[in-house]
Every structure is written in C-alpha cells, then in structure tokens.
Amino acid sequence: MITVDVLSSLKDIDGVYGSFVVDATGALILRDLPGVIDNGALREAGPRIARLWGAFPEDDPADYVLLEFASHQVFIKKFEAGSLCIFVPPSVNRPALRMAANFVGRWLDKQLAALPEVAGPVSDPAPEPAGSAASGNKKKTYIFRGQRYEV
C-alpha cells in the first residue's frame, strides 16, 4: 500500500513545504501539502504536468523541471509511472533535493507497479442511457483510465 509517509520524508530537506504525486495521465495519487492547496487545484494541474514531458525530445529527456515563482519553486521529477512535484523555497539545497526525488521516484515506481491494474481512484459512474430501465439493471458501470468496467 502506498502511504503518504514517503512524501513526508522529503520534508527532511530543509525548506520543503510539501509534495504531491500524479500518475502518467495526471491523476492525483498522493499529497502531503498544507490545506491551503486544495485537491481541486492539484487535479487541475495534474494533466498539465503530464503533458509537460511531451515538450522535451524523447532521445534527450529532461531529468527534472523547476518552475520558479515569486516566493517558491516547484521541482518536478518524472519517474516511470508519473511525476513527483515538490514545493520548495528558492534557497533549497538542490543536490539533496535531486537525490531525494530520485530515491522517492524509484520507490514509487516499485509500489505502483505492484498495484493491480484496476486499483486507484474511480471516476463517477457513467450516466445511464436515456430510456433504460434502471430498476431492472443492478450492474453499475465505471470508467477507469479509459476502460469501462461493470460491477
């Protein structure tokens, strides 16, 4: 089971405010951030982060991306199954941050590879077609990562 403890360990680096993880499609997987940053904002940023890696050539991919803002930076490390995003001050020790992000990324890859394919957040049930008899059909349809599942 993936826990937020691995993200909390990043706070051992002086200045790290918090972090979150999105999968390769941009879906929010984990978060360890202050409450002022809500899940809605992270869900909105997730697909953009996933598309960010398409801006780099495949034969020479970037190791990480650093987004700089007035009061903080967002260090984004791509790993096999997604992206690790860490909020830091401009004065952060970057070699220590890169080393920790590499470690956490490798750990997350192992943990996410061990999960069953259908695990994870499931979207809202698909609406029933107009005119269908809802009382006669007890199966529910869910869409997860573009695949339809009936339960």
Side-chain angles (χ1 to χ4, degrees):
M1 185 63 158
I2 298 177
T3 65
V4 77
D5 292 340
V6 70
L7 296 183
S8 295
S9 70
L10 292 169
K11 291 182 179 175
D12 290 343
I13 298 171
D14 191 35
V16 171
Y17 303 130
S19 56
F20 68 100
V21 177
V22 294
D23 68 10
T25 65
L28 181 63
I29 298 174
L30 286 174
R31 69 167 283 153
D32 181 31
L33 289 166
V36 296
I37 301 172
D38 65 348
N39 285 345
L42 298 178
R43 285 188 190 106
E44 185 177 319
R48 293 176 181 159
I49 292 167
R51 286 192 309 267
L52 173 71
W53 301 109
F56 299 100
E58 289 184 26
D59 59 341
D60 188 23
D63 186 38
Y64 66 92
V65 172
L66 188 66
L67 303 177
E68 297 183 7
F69 299 94
S71 62
H72 68 282
Q73 299 174 341
V74 181
F75 178 94
I76 306 173
K77 169 72 175 155
K78 185 174 183 348
F79 59 97
E80 190 69 30
S83 299
L84 170 64
C85 308
I86 309 168
F87 287 83
V88 297
S91 62
V92 72
N93 181 340
R94 284 199 192 141
L97 183 62
R98 287 180 63 191
M99 184 173 66
N102 285 335
F103 174 76
V104 171
R106 284 193 304 268
W107 187 87
L108 286 167
D109 272 336
K110 289 179 186 176
Q111 296 300 310
L112 292 173
L115 291 177
E117 188 63 31
V118 294
V122 177
S123 63
D124 295 330
E128 293 189 23
S132 67
S135 60
N137 185 4
K138 298 204 183 243
K139 290 185 178 182
K140 291 187 178 184
T141 303
Y142 295 92
I143 297 175
F144 175 70
R145 292 188 180 171
Q147 297 292 321
R148 176 167 271 156
Y149 299 94
E150 290 189 18
V151 181

